[in-house]
Every structure is written in C-alpha cells, then in structure tokens.
Amino acid sequence: MKKRMTAILLTSITLLLASCAAQEPAPLETSSSPLPTVSAEPSAGSAEPAPSISAQTDAELFLSREPAAAQVGRYLTENGASVTAEDGDLLLERLVLLQMDIAGQLNVRIWDKAYMSALNDTMGGIFNPSKIDDIEDNDVKAAFNEAADALITVVRYEETPLFEMNWSRIEALGTTLSDEAAAMVLYNSRLQGNYYAGDPLNFDALAADIAAVEEQLTALDGGFVGWELRKVFNYQLSLLIAGPEGSFEGEYTDKNSAYNKRLEQYAGQYGGRFADICRDLYALENEDSQTVTDYLYDALIFPPNYPLTADITITEENGAWLSLPVVYGENYDLTEKLNEIIHETALSLIKEGRTDQTLSTYVTVSGDFMSVVFACSYLDEEGQYYYSETGLVLELTTGNPVTLDTLVGAPFDSYKDALLKVMRGYNIPARLEPTFSFYLTDNGMAISLPSEDSGWPDYYIVTFNGLRSFMDISQLY
C-alpha cells in the first residue's frame, strides 16, 4: 500500500515559505500618474483614423506603459465596461500578475503590529477601504490604499489573514470579458465568498461546478484563463473531498458513509477526470485520512485535460527510501524517458554506504513543464541532520531536461541582472552564477542556493510578474 511521507514534503514547502517571510519586503509601488480614459466617440472636429492592423487599442497602449497594480485596478474600475472582451482579458491578466507582488509583500507585513492593528482594530477585522483614512500610521495607510485601488481584499483562512484578488469586486464591476474569463471570475468569486457553505456543505452545487470547470478546461488550450481555472478546479476538488482544513478526510472509513455514497453518485452522474477521481476514491479500501490525502495529491499533479497522469510511489533502493513520481500516459517511450531521468536524478543524491536515508519529492506542472524537487536527508554519526536538495525541470512533450537558458530563450548573461532584480527572499546575493538549482512553482519560480550559514539552502522566489520582465511566461500557463 502506498504511503507518502507527507510531513517531509510539507517541511520543504514550509521552509520555502519561511524564507519569504524572513524577507524585508521592498516598498509597495505607488503612482499618481494620470490614467488614460477610453473614449467611445472621436472628439469633436477630429477625423477618425483609418483602421490599422498594427494599431494598438487604448488598453494595449496603457499596458505597454507598465502601469502599477493600482493603476490597472483604477483603469478597470473606470473603463472596464467599455473595453473589448479581448482587452478585458488582457487587463485582468495583468492585474492578477501585478497583484502577486503586492499581496506577497503584504502577507509578510500583516504580522507587524501596525498592520495587524490597522486591520483588526481600525477596520474591525475586515478589509474595509472606507476606513483606510482612519488608519494613523501613514505607511500602513499608503499600503492599504494601494491594495484597495489594486482590487485586493483580505480573506481569512481560519485565523490567518491573506491578501488576494477581490473576485466579487471584479464580478460586480461588469468588466467586458470573454465568456471563459467571466466564468473563471464567477467560480473564483463563489469559492472566495463561501457560496457552497452550509451545514452540510452544498455538495451537489459544488460537484456541478467542478464538472463545469473541467469542461471549460478541456475546451481551452492553456493560456491565462486555463491557468486560473486549473487552480479553481484543484480548490473545488479539495473542498469537496478533503473539506475545510481537511475536516472530511476521516469520513471515508465507512463504505456506507454519506461521503462515500456521494462519490459513488458523482462517479455515475458526471464524466471526465472528476468522475474518475470519485470512482477511484470510492474503490479504495481503508480510506484513512492519509490515504485520501495521498490520492488527492496524486490526482491533482496534472490538469484534468492533460494526456499524462502521475502518482507518488515509495521504494527502497541503495539504502534509501525513495518517494518518487511515476508518470503514466499512452506515449510509452515518453513516460519511460521521464521516469528514467527522475529515477537517475534521485539516485545521484544518495550517499553510498548509508542505510538511513530518505529522499522525498514535490511535483509541479506548469504548461508543458514538470518540476520535481528532490530532498535527501539523514542523521550522521554525530546526530547532525544532513539535508541536500535539487530541482529538475522536464519538458513534457520531449522528456528532455530543461535549463533556465532554454526556458528563457536567451543566454544567462543577457538576463541575470533582471533575474536578480526580481528575486525575493532573505539576503539576496550581490551576483548570480548559472550554477543554482531552480524549479517552477504554481505562481512562478523558486531558486535554491547553498547557504554559507547553515546546512539548509537559501530560497528565493520569483513571481510570474517578475519572470515577465525577461521571458515569455505564457508557456508556463
């Protein structure tokens, strides 16, 4: 029976987040630049320009000036209903990318006394833009104003406040969007606004939306909307099966429980990957919490519309327990190549002559790229903890390993300064050599460098917005 060493995997993620939390964030960008407006009619006395294939729309011209998040938010607020659907999608995409940097900074700063006091005491625990002027600390007031203008809100997960896109605000603006983007906004808004909440949860409505999102994903060929919808799909499934904070995971031990009966019902009612997941979970024996957690993690490695799947298997080899992804698909030569490279990389981290090693992995799929983080650990003879880590990025259509130069499409010297500028973390190095380990994440890229102060690597995050400054990020959607 498969059993993932979840604690080790979560430790890797926790360390990554902790490294970001240790960072002193850069100042939030603010701007008082005037915003262009969209005019429905030419001004009086002006001649309407002849149509031009290469002419930029007002929204495209606005975005070409690299506006700050607050400027994009105000542009959408003032002009969103009068733009084309194509421009609406572009504006929304840019806003989401820009918000990553602001939300990341505020999610660190919120634990400072001045920020927490402004949220909890001045605002009453809810991010209320109408009360920002009542905040006494000018730095906090400016930061919260920037967030409000950028259409960011605060959502609480248990007692943890997180800054993120205010999806209900986007929905209420009436911005002209493509049908796919509008649906994506709706489903995000429902999740954020506890649309399915209740005692019990509105399982049937949630299941219907999961099936609808999968249908949309299947019809899309990647892109920004597909990237967002995949996150929606994963969140929806986790809410349906695991429940808030994993509260449902212990309910599957009884085959006759309402939770298992629902899985059986949805497996017959719907099709696609959603139905497969429900069917597989229902067929599992002894569904304890860990079994459900492990299966759900495996099921969500690849998007539901992707021709590959994977699961994590544990084997013992060369004195080590290896927890590795195994990729499956109709193209046997491709999956065999992928699995062989993953296995060889794992073995290269194992120290010879030891029998107490553990190697765990964490997997992310971005576009047609699969990232695998390998973490090897053991206790040496003196009781000291040894830890080593590396990242591997594989191209999923060829099976070949991918360098950062290949991903960026340029030699390292041409973008190293731009990369350093957008790295976020503690103690950013003065310069960067092309020997570091990197891997892709759900929202960008992580860089791992050996630390001079401890046995743990130093971690740095680069958001999609940061990557956008020197590479085409559409390949990662």
Side-chain angles (χ1 to χ4, degrees):
M1 181 180 70
K2 184 181 67 171
K3 181 180 180 183
R4 177 176 301 100
M5 300 175 183
T6 306
I8 297 175
L9 294 178
L10 292 177
T11 298
S12 177
I13 303 170
T14 302
L15 286 169
L16 183 61
L17 294 175
S19 69
C20 297
Q23 166 198 359
E24 176 59 31
L28 291 170
E29 293 183 7
T30 58
S31 173
S32 58
S33 302
L35 296 175
T37 57
V38 175
S39 176
E41 299 289 341
S43 58
S46 66
E48 186 172 353
S52 172
I53 296 177
S54 60
Q56 287 183 307
T57 64
D58 287 338
E60 289 172 333
L61 181 60
F62 167 66
L63 292 177
S64 72
R65 298 170 182 158
E66 291 297 327
Q71 290 178 292
V72 179
R74 292 196 295 271
Y75 189 100
L76 278 168
T77 301
E78 297 170 11
N79 305 309
S82 59
V83 301
T84 65
E86 183 177 6
D87 281 346
D89 287 6
L90 288 175
L91 289 161
L92 180 60
E93 177 182 3
R94 181 67 64 86
L95 181 61
V96 168
L97 296 178
L98 291 168
Q99 283 181 344
M100 286 182 178
D101 295 340
I102 293 179
Q105 292 170 9
L106 286 174
N107 286 334
V108 173
R109 291 181 179 179
I110 191 60
W111 298 106
D112 292 346
K113 183 178 179 180
Y115 282 79
M116 190 64 78
S117 176
L119 178 63
N120 288 338
D121 300 333
T122 306
M123 290 186 165
I126 299 173
F127 190 75
N128 185 346
S130 69
K131 295 184 178 181
I132 291 178
D133 286 342
D134 297 333
I135 297 173
E136 294 182 0
D137 189 297
N138 288 330
D139 290 338
V140 178
K141 183 185 296 186
F144 278 22
N145 263 320
E146 180 80 355
D149 284 348
L151 307 185
I152 292 175
T153 190
V154 172
V155 178
R156 290 187 182 267
Y157 296 90
E158 293 297 305
E159 295 303 315
T160 302
L162 286 178
F163 288 81
E164 59 182 46
M165 166 70 86
N166 189 340
W167 291 105
S168 64
R169 180 79 187 281
I170 294 293
E171 187 180 10
L173 283 178
T175 300
T176 305
L177 301 169
S178 66
D179 291 342
E180 295 81 7
M184 177 269 289
V185 170
L186 170 66
Y187 294 125
N188 264 312
S189 179
R190 287 181 174 182
L191 285 169
Q192 192 179 69
N194 296 317
Y195 176 82
Y196 312 101
D199 189 17
L201 196 72
N202 193 340
F203 292 100
D204 289 346
L206 180 54
D209 281 358
I210 293 172
V213 168
E214 180 175 359
E215 185 176 351
Q216 274 200 293
L217 273 170
T218 303
L220 289 171
D221 184 20
F224 163 70
V225 174
W227 171 65
E228 275 289 347
L229 278 175
R230 183 192 172 190
K231 292 191 287 185
V232 170
F233 182 81
N234 290 357
Y235 190 170
Q236 288 173 324
L237 262 175
S238 297
L239 180 60
L240 179 80
I241 294 171
E245 305 299 320
S247 56
F248 298 163
E249 291 178 343
E251 302 290 343
Y252 297 93
T253 55
D254 180 5
K255 236 0 175 207
N256 294 316
S257 72
Y259 293 85
N260 271 313
K261 289 299 183 183
R262 271 191 291 270
L263 293 178
E264 185 180 30
Q265 171 192 337
Y266 299 148
Q269 185 174 353
Y270 299 106
R273 188 75 181 115
F274 175 40
D276 291 340
I277 290 171
C278 291
R279 191 175 298 109
D280 290 347
L281 272 172
Y282 181 75
L284 287 176
E285 297 295 333
N286 302 318
E287 294 107 321
D288 59 9
S289 297
Q290 191 62 54
T291 303
V292 175
T293 298
D294 290 349
Y295 177 83
L296 194 56
Y297 174 87
D298 292 350
L300 299 180
I301 289 176
F302 283 95
N305 57 329
Y306 209 82
L308 299 174
T309 59
D311 61 35
I312 307 295
T313 61
I314 293 181
T315 58
E316 186 179 9
E317 191 171 351
N318 292 359
W321 289 100
L322 307 178
S323 177
L324 302 178
V326 178
V327 183
Y328 304 95
E330 294 183 0
N331 187 336
Y332 177 80
D333 290 339
L334 173 63
T335 57
E336 187 75 2
K337 184 176 182 179
L338 291 167
N339 292 328
E340 182 178 348
I341 293 174
I342 291 170
H343 183 248
E344 289 176 350
T345 303
L347 292 182
S348 71
L349 297 175
I350 300 300
K351 300 287 186 181
E352 293 185 8
R354 303 200 64 90
T355 59
D356 58 349
Q357 300 170 86
T358 297
L359 188 142
S360 59
T361 51
Y362 183 75
V363 186
T364 305
V365 173
S366 307
D368 284 325
F369 301 97
M370 178 181 186
S371 292
V372 185
V373 185
F374 299 83
C376 182
S377 61
Y378 64 84
L379 291 175
D380 65 18
E381 289 73 12
E382 286 75 37
Q384 295 296 314
Y385 186 74
Y386 171 87
Y387 179 89
S388 64
E389 176 184 295
T390 192
L392 172 68
V393 181
L394 297 165
E395 210 283 324
L396 290 170
T397 59
T398 65
N400 295 327
V402 176
T403 67
L404 188 54
D405 284 0
T406 302
L407 199 64
V408 175
F412 184 73
D413 284 346
S414 69
Y415 64 85
K416 65 180 181 180
D417 291 339
L419 175 57
L420 268 173
K421 185 178 180 180
V422 295
M423 286 168 55
R424 298 289 180 263
Y426 178 73
N427 194 24
I428 303 294
R431 63 179 187 174
L432 202 58
E433 300 297 331
T435 55
F436 54 84
S437 173
F438 82 97
Y439 49 90
L440 300 171
T441 68
D442 290 333
N443 295 312
M445 184 175 71
I447 290 173
S448 173
L449 293 172
S451 174
E452 298 179 358
D453 301 326
S454 70
W456 295 97
D458 288 330
Y459 296 96
Y460 305 96
I461 298 298
V462 183
T463 64
F464 271 164
N465 188 52
L467 292 176
R468 185 177 64 84
S469 66
F470 60 89
M471 66 173 286
D472 175 17
I473 63 169
S474 65
Q475 61 185 316
L476 306 181
Y477 284 149

